[in-house]
Amino acid sequence: MNHAANDYPRNQQKIAHLMTQLNQIVLDKPQAIKLALSGILAGGHLLLQDLPGMGKTTLAQGLAQLLGLSFSRVQFTNDMLPADILGMSIYDQSKLQFEFRPGPIFTQLLLADEINRSSPKTQSALLEAMEERQVTQDGQTYALPQPFFVIATQNPLQQAGVYPLPESQLDRFLLCLSLGYPSPAAERELLKGQDRRELLKELPAVLDTQAVLLAQHGVKQVYVADVVLDYLQRLVAKTRASSEYHGLSPRGVLSLQRAAQAYAYVSGHMEVTPEDVQAVFAAVTDHRLGQRFVPAHVTGGQATQTIAQRILAEVAVIV
């Protein structure tokens, strides 16, 4: 507790600067950026779902560059095979033996772009890597770099040529976020300003690998009082009381606590509040409860209340 409390002031300025820099690249999305950074510092993977061209890839690239992490981008297609991501063993004639050639997954931050355009078999190739931070090929296990994150982008199921993600894979993503359309003012700045890809090239790293690992350790030390745990468990119990969907699993519960701790850490305090739990609840739970992303234009521009939002409205903070 004391170590984390002393550690945060040393990182606070850098974290605040990182979010400021990223807000200049991905305009008008401060809450999504804060949640995305919270997910990374919690050690989790992110799923970004939205229409093409909304800034999902830009957000992922910006995070990798500002965090000072090695980065690989894989464009998922319907003819992609698991070996295209994980790597494969190739026979070396000079050595008279097979040699493993690592795939693009051997990086610190992997952008799985349009992940749901590949087949379920290829999607499932990421499961071991996301859960165990390792890859097994031909009976051999290979450790992935530390830290290791997957940021996947997903197009709406209403579009052609996409496959739904299996529930087992959805559960591996700590947070699921949607960016949505920019405000008119932000869109005008995009039209009149510099190309986002050019701005990305100019971004200096704010953190490095050691700083990210240190921040992740600090997140684990954020205090969660019993009264907050009581509130968290009431929310979880509410997810399990419906016959319309399966409630949160124990892994989902741990994810909710971890995300709330990270959100508190990024917000500048070393104790989780009910507001921290509320801030991350929808991003942690909706995709696990089967909530499908529906673009705003499909609903006539009207925002629809999600399962998580309904639960938050029905569960009291203090009983």
Side-chain angles (χ1 to χ4, degrees), residues 61-82:
Q61 291 174 327
L63 277 170
Q65 194 151 331
L66 288 165
L67 291 169
L69 302 176
S70 60
F71 176 77
S72 289
R73 176 178 181 266
V74 176
Q75 182 65 50
F76 279 61
T77 58
N78 58 7
D79 60 349
M80 179 176 285
L81 299 174

Side-chain angles (χ1 to χ4, degrees), residues 177-238:
L177 306 173
S178 297
L179 296 179
Y181 291 112
S183 68
E187 196 163 50
R188 176 63 65 91
E189 188 171 343
L190 285 173
L191 292 169
K192 298 181 69 174
Q194 191 175 350
D195 188 292
R196 301 295 106 180
R197 289 169 293 186
E198 294 300 320
L199 288 175
L200 275 173
K201 294 177 183 178
E202 300 171 4
L203 281 182
V206 176
L207 301 179
D208 57 21
T209 296
Q210 189 59 37
V212 172
L213 292 173
L214 193 62
Q216 288 181 334
H217 175 75
V219 165
K220 295 176 182 177
Q221 308 308 311
V222 174
Y223 178 67
V224 188
D226 285 343
V227 65
V228 176
L229 287 176
D230 290 341
Y231 176 51
L232 186 150
Q233 287 192 289
R234 286 198 299 275
L235 290 171
V236 170
K238 188 69 174 178

Side-chain angles (χ1 to χ4, degrees), residues 83-161:
D84 295 327
I85 306 166
L86 305 180
M88 65 182 72
S89 295
I90 299 177
Y91 188 72
D92 188 331
Q93 291 187 338
S94 63
K95 298 179 181 179
L96 300 179
Q97 63 183 19
F98 283 93
E99 183 177 295
F100 179 68
R101 302 289 175 86
I105 199 170
F106 285 85
T107 187
Q108 291 176 316
L109 196 154
L110 174 71
L111 172 58
D113 215 359
E114 297 188 304
I115 188 173
N116 59 337
R117 290 199 179 278
S118 65
S119 67
K121 179 180 180 180
T122 302
Q123 293 173 13
S124 64
L126 291 172
L127 290 177
E128 180 187 12
M130 294 173 71
E131 186 67 20
E132 306 294 337
R133 265 64 175 183
Q134 65 184 29
V135 168
T136 301
Q137 286 287 78
D138 302 322
Q140 295 290 319
T141 298
Y142 305 92
L144 292 168
Q146 295 298 321
F148 172 74
F149 309 103
V150 173
I151 298 182
T153 68
Q154 175 178 243
N155 293 330
L157 291 178
Q158 294 87 353
Q159 293 195 335

